[in-house]
């Protein structure tokens, strides 16, 4: 699917709105939000124009997708014929990828900037798209023959399957503009490893001492972030450069660190647990400086995505209800 002039116009409008919001948004300011009728809101992605997406649960227990533009306008949407729609990624043009739940499993979908929704399945199997890049290419996993495999869906609708060598389950989590993919796979010894796929070549990697490696995000420079578990069961953050150098990190006081996003300047966002088992958000600059944060009233803060200038995610309040948030950098 090629979005052409319509996508460009939509992107230009969002960028105009984003510019006005950036000017009025103080550094470190947090705005919380919920779509109308939501009892739980989960913001999962944000693009460079500060448009975000995710899903929310209504009072009947159904899940709906939403698009929140930079000026705060929220549009609800869903895949026809299902009560469960889960958007998880948005690109610069405003196209959204995700999956819906039906009676026979999951179906993938792409929502174009004009609101048109196209559904698809990888090889007629249960399909869960996870990431969409600015070229309109989707990656995710599909379930077939009792095994999860990785897939790539191109803009013409063609789908290619791949699995790292030795994999018995493959889960891509991110793709950048250059089509480099990052994710994790499970081997026959029940150990998860990280992988990067560039130009068709898959490279496996693990931070030193890792018992479980889970890459979660990649930027356009090919830098990957994620978490790994050490032999004591503690999780730490890591950054892996495109050249393969891996550096681990933890915010002060962390007993478990879980990075979820990285921007093109190398800033990393995520969440960590402290000694009291409380969960907080953090952002780490490319130089290694940390800022921690929580929306007012949060008992559990979970940033999900970062772009230059903004972080999106969700948090639980004292009543254990989830709300979306946007934090300026």
């Amino acid at each position: 699917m090629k979005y052409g002039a319509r996508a460009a116009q939509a992107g230009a409008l969002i960028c105009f709105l984003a510019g006005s919001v950036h000017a009025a948004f103080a550094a470190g300011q947090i705005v919380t939000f919920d779509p109308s009728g939501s009892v739980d809101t989960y913001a999962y992605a944000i693009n460079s124009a500060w448009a975000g997406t995710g899903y929310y649960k209504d009072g009947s227990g159904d899940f709906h997708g939403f698009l929140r533009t930079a000026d705060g306008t929220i549009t609800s949407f869903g895949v026809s014929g299902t009560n469960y729609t889960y958007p998880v990624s948005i690109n610069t043009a405003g196209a959204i990828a995700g999956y819906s739940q039906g009676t026979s499993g999951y179906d993938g979908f792409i929502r174009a900037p004009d609101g048109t929704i196209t559904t698809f399945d990888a090889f007629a199997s249960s399909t869960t798209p996870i990431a969409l890049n600015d070229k309109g290419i989707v990656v995710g996993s599909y379930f077939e023959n009792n095994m999860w495999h990785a897939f790539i869906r191109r803009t013409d609708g063609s789908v290619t399957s791949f699995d790292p060598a030795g994999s018995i389950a493959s889960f891509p989590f991110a793709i950048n503009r250059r089509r480099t993919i990052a994710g994790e796979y499970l081997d026959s010894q029940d150990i998860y490893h990280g992988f990067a796929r560039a130009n068709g070549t898959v490279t496996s990697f693990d931070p030193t001492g890792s018992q479980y490696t889970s890459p979660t995000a990649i930027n356009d420079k090919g830098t990957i972030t994620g978490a790994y578990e050490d032999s004591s069961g503690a999780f730490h953050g890591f950054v892996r450069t495109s050249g393969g150098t891996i550096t681990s990190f933890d915010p002060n006081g962390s007993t478990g660190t879980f990075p979820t996003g990285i921007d093109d300047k190398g800033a990393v966002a995520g969440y960590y647990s402290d000694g009291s088992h409380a969960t907080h958000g953090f952002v780490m600059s490319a130089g290694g400086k940390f800022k921690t944060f929580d929306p007012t009233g949060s008992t559990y803060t979970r940033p999900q995505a970062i772009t230059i200038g903004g972080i999106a995610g969700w948090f639980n309040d004292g009543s254990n209800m989830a709300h979306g948030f946007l934090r300026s950098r």
Side-chain angles (χ1 to χ4, degrees):
M1 181 183 295
K2 295 183 178 179
Y3 306 120
R6 183 172 291 177
Q9 291 169 356
L13 173 60
I14 293 172
C15 287
F16 171 78
L17 294 171
S20 63
V21 173
H22 288 185
F25 226 57
Q29 181 180 350
I30 296 176
V31 172
T32 65
F33 64 89
D34 292 286
S36 178
S38 172
V39 297
D40 284 304
T41 302
Y42 303 94
Y44 264 81
I46 185 174
N47 67 14
S48 59
W50 281 33
T53 193
Y55 51 87
Y56 69 94
K57 183 173 70 173
D58 66 19
S60 300
D62 296 339
F63 283 84
H64 312 271
F66 70 82
L67 167 67
R68 183 187 189 275
T69 56
D71 66 348
T73 301
I74 298 176
T75 302
S76 175
F77 66 88
V79 175
S80 178
T82 178
N83 296 326
Y84 305 96
T85 298
Y86 306 101
V88 291
S89 185
I90 185 170
N91 68 12
T92 298
I96 294 170
Y99 54 94
S100 62
Q101 185 176 358
T103 56
S104 59
Y106 296 102
D107 301 301
F109 75 83
I110 298 174
R111 182 184 187 270
D114 66 0
T116 303
I117 295 177
T118 301
T119 60
F120 68 92
D121 287 300
F123 309 104
S125 302
S126 190
T127 302
T128 56
I130 295 299
L132 169 73
N133 74 2
D134 284 346
K135 303 284 189 179
I137 298 172
V138 179
V139 296
S141 298
Y142 69 97
F143 190 73
E144 189 173 64
N145 297 326
N146 294 316
M147 180 174 170
W148 286 99
H149 305 272
F151 76 84
I152 305 168
R153 183 186 187 273
R154 298 171 181 80
T155 53
D156 63 2
S158 61
V159 179
T160 298
S161 173
F162 74 91
D163 292 295
S167 169
I168 62 170
S170 304
F171 304 98
F173 290 139
I175 181 172
N176 66 12
R177 183 188 292 268
R178 297 180 180 179
R179 305 182 186 183
T180 302
I181 299 166
E184 68 184 35
Y185 71 94
L186 179 67
D187 69 17
S188 60
Q189 303 302 310
D190 278 340
I191 297 175
Y192 281 89
H193 307 274
F195 74 83
R197 183 184 188 272
N199 300 316
T201 299
V202 177
T203 302
S204 174
F205 66 86
D206 293 288
T208 301
S210 176
Q211 309 298 304
Y212 177 176
T213 304
S214 181
T216 53
I218 186 171
N219 67 14
D220 280 343
K221 295 181 180 179
T223 304
I224 296 169
T225 193
Y228 72 95
E229 183 182 17
D230 66 21
S231 58
S232 69
F235 280 87
H236 310 273
F238 74 83
V239 171
R240 179 187 185 271
T241 68
S242 59
T245 301
I246 299 176
T247 303
S248 64
F249 66 86
D250 293 286
N252 287 335
S254 172
T255 59
T257 303
F258 304 91
T260 53
I262 184 168
D263 71 16
D264 286 340
K265 290 186 176 181
V268 175
Y271 58 101
Y272 72 97
S273 299
D274 65 20
S276 301
H277 305 291
T279 302
H280 312 277
F282 75 83
V283 58
M284 182 185 75
S285 71
K289 294 182 178 180
F290 284 94
K291 292 181 181 179
T292 64
F293 63 90
D294 293 289
T296 301
S298 174
T299 61
Y300 180 96
T301 302
R302 183 160 177 165
Q304 281 293 138
I306 184 172
T307 188
I308 294 174
I311 298 168
W314 52 273
F315 70 97
N316 283 1
D317 64 19
S319 300
N320 206 34
M321 294 179 64
H323 309 273
F325 75 82
L326 175 67
R327 182 189 187 271
S328 65
R329 292 279 306 286

